[in-house]
Amino acid sequence: MITKSLLLPFCTVALAFVVKATDGSAPTIDWDAHQWMAPGPNDLRGPCPGLNTLANHGFLPRDGRDLDMSVILDAGFKGYNMQPDLLASAVKIAFLTTEDPFSFTLDDIKVHGNIEHDASLSRNDFALGDNVHFNETIFTTLANSNPGVDYYNTTSAGQVMHRRLADDEIANPNITNTDKEFSIRSGESAFYLSVMGDPITGVAPKKFVQIFFREERLPIAEGWHRPETPINQSTLVPLIIDIASASNWTSSGGCPVIVLGPDGSHF
Ligand code: HEM
Ligand SMILES: *[C@@H]1O[C@H](CO)[C@@H](O)[C@H](O)[C@H]1NC(C)=O
Ligand SMILES: *[C@@H]1O[C@H](CO)[C@@H](O)[C@H](O)[C@H]1NC(C)=O
Ligand SMILES: *[C@@H]1O[C@H](CO)[C@@H](O)[C@H](O)[C@H]1NC(C)=O
Ligand SMILES: *[C@@H]1O[C@H](CO)[C@@H](O)[C@H](O)[C@H]1NC(C)=O
Ligand SMILES: *[C@@H]1O[C@H](CO)[C@@H](O)[C@H](O)[C@H]1NC(C)=O
């Protein structure tokens, strides 16, 4: 088993993934060259709405193939103003989902138990069916959260995690829900608030978040723009702590395991 602290949100600050920070100043991005296009029949997509969206806008290869560290870090910076510290560890882990030592695809990363986990916000559990494609029924919990206002925030994100887990513990008695999955889920919730909203306050317009999940599109026409604040551990960890706290999480038992290969092998 790989050390579980690798993914614990409360430990992220202490993690020694030393990656040189990119210059936070706005790069010149030709947004006209990055229009949204639906994937074609031979293009690969996967369980991550963040990466699918980057591919749909051509920040990642539109065919969803030939992904590696530099391709992902470049796309995350250009599309979302994400700094490398956050993405680098996910890419390292994702590399375990393929036998190819040089690249992976958006489809490869669906391997259950690597990054992919149960109780997602917008996908079903692996054991219950389709863990790759967007599912509106699953997404209803997030879509309907924070009633009465037009934004999501760290409180609502934590409540959504709580509700998804409670529902899923009933739907999937074999659920895997250790602190590993909890850490990844908390980070993903902070991701959607940060890229679709304000990375400092963690407040994100509902309309933007819904387009991001449902259409895997940057809602530029609706008024979204690339976050001016560079998203990195300094912005993300405070959001993760608030989200995690609001989620009132408890483990469903078992030990954290990271699946190390496409065949499901692990220590
Ligand atoms: C570029 C910025 C990124 C953003 C904004 C982002 C955002 C998200 C969000 C919001 C989810 C939750 C989906 C859900 O629960 O239904 C997710 C899931 C996922 N992400 Fe990303 N992500 C990013 C980068 C990455 C990277 C670099 C990797 C690995 C190479 C990755 C792999 C995954 C996987 C495998 C899932 C599926 C987890 C599951 O729901 O079972 N993501 N991502
Ligand atoms: C979406 O998820 C629901 C709830 O698990 C399930 O009943 C439904 O079959 C799923 N839809 C698709 C298209 O997979
Ligand atoms: C999130 O929004 C709800 C509804 O406006 C509010 O009650 C709650 O205090 C907000 N949470 C934070 C952290 O501001
Ligand atoms: C849970 O796992 C057991 C043993 O592997 C299996 O027999 C059962 O069908 C699984 N249940 C679900 C809902 O996946
Ligand atoms: C995050 O970015 C801000 C602004 O560029 C910078 O001041 C801060 O040192 C960065 N934090 C980390 C952990 O890289
Ligand atoms: C938090 O979870 C515990 C254990 O499941 C439960 O007893 C408690 O009532 C929950 N609190 C809130 C505020 O949901």
Side-chain angles (χ1 to χ4, degrees):
M1 188 182 81
I2 291 180
T3 167
K4 67 183 180 183
S5 64
L6 194 65
L7 290 152
L8 285 179
F10 301 104
C11 305
T12 21
V13 179
L15 278 181
F17 287 113
V18 180
V19 183
K20 195 176 177 299
T22 43
D23 177 2
S25 61
T28 312
I29 295 168
D30 179 1
W31 289 95
D32 284 345
H34 289 283
Q35 308 260 4
W36 184 88
M37 279 168 53
N42 298 317
D43 296 335
L44 300 177
R45 294 294 181 266
C48 175
L51 297 180
N52 290 350
T53 300
L54 290 173
N56 290 342
H57 283 271
F59 288 108
L60 289 174
R62 291 189 185 268
D63 67 2
R65 294 169 162 86
D66 298 316
L67 309 178
D68 62 21
M69 185 64 83
S70 57
V71 167
I72 299 263
L73 297 188
D74 180 67
F77 175 64
K78 287 196 176 129
Y80 299 135
N81 202 2
M82 276 196 159
Q83 295 196 327
D85 55 350
L86 299 168
L87 299 177
S89 46
V91 171
K92 290 176 189 175
I93 297 165
F95 254 109
L96 298 167
T97 63
T98 173
E99 303 292 2
D100 183 338
F102 299 108
S103 71
F104 59 91
T105 72
L106 288 180
D107 175 69
D108 287 334
I109 61 174
K110 71 185 176 197
V111 170
H112 181 58
N114 176 266
I115 294 173
E116 201 282 324
H117 52 76
D118 293 335
S120 300
L121 303 168
S122 66
R123 269 73 173 163
N124 217 331
D125 286 4
F126 176 72
L128 300 181
D130 183 350
N131 66 330
V132 177
H133 299 96
F134 176 81
N135 181 315
E136 183 69 43
T137 308
I138 304 284
F139 185 64
T140 303
T141 305
L142 199 171
N144 293 345
S145 66
N146 226 20
V149 294
D150 62 1
Y151 56 86
Y152 304 120
N153 61 19
T154 54
T155 313
S156 68
Q159 289 166 342
V160 169
M161 284 180 61
H162 183 84
R163 175 78 189 279
R164 280 290 305 125
L165 183 58
D167 289 348
D168 206 47
E169 280 174 319
I170 297 165
N172 181 7
N174 290 346
I175 186 170
T176 303
N177 168 42
T178 71
D179 51 6
K180 178 201 139 184
E181 288 75 26
F182 175 55
S183 299
I184 297 174
R185 292 168 62 231
S186 303
E188 289 165 352
S189 290
F191 267 19
Y192 77 73
L193 293 177
S194 296
V195 299
M196 287 297 116
D198 182 334
I200 303 290
T201 62
V203 172
K206 287 181 174 177
K207 189 201 280 184
F208 294 175
V209 172
Q210 292 175 14
I211 290 169
F212 170 79
F213 275 97
R214 289 189 173 125
E215 301 175 42
E216 301 188 327
R217 174 167 75 76
L218 297 173
I220 299 165
E222 290 79 8
W224 176 90
H225 58 81
R226 179 179 179 269
E228 275 147 33
T229 306
I231 300 166
N232 63 17
Q233 289 179 17
S234 305
T235 64
L236 207 79
V237 170
L239 301 186
I240 290 175
I241 289 171
D242 286 352
I243 293 166
S245 153
S247 82
N248 193 27
W249 176 80
T250 48
S251 170
S252 308
C255 294
V257 167
I258 296 183
V259 166
L260 301 174
D263 59 355
S265 61
H266 57 80
F267 289 122

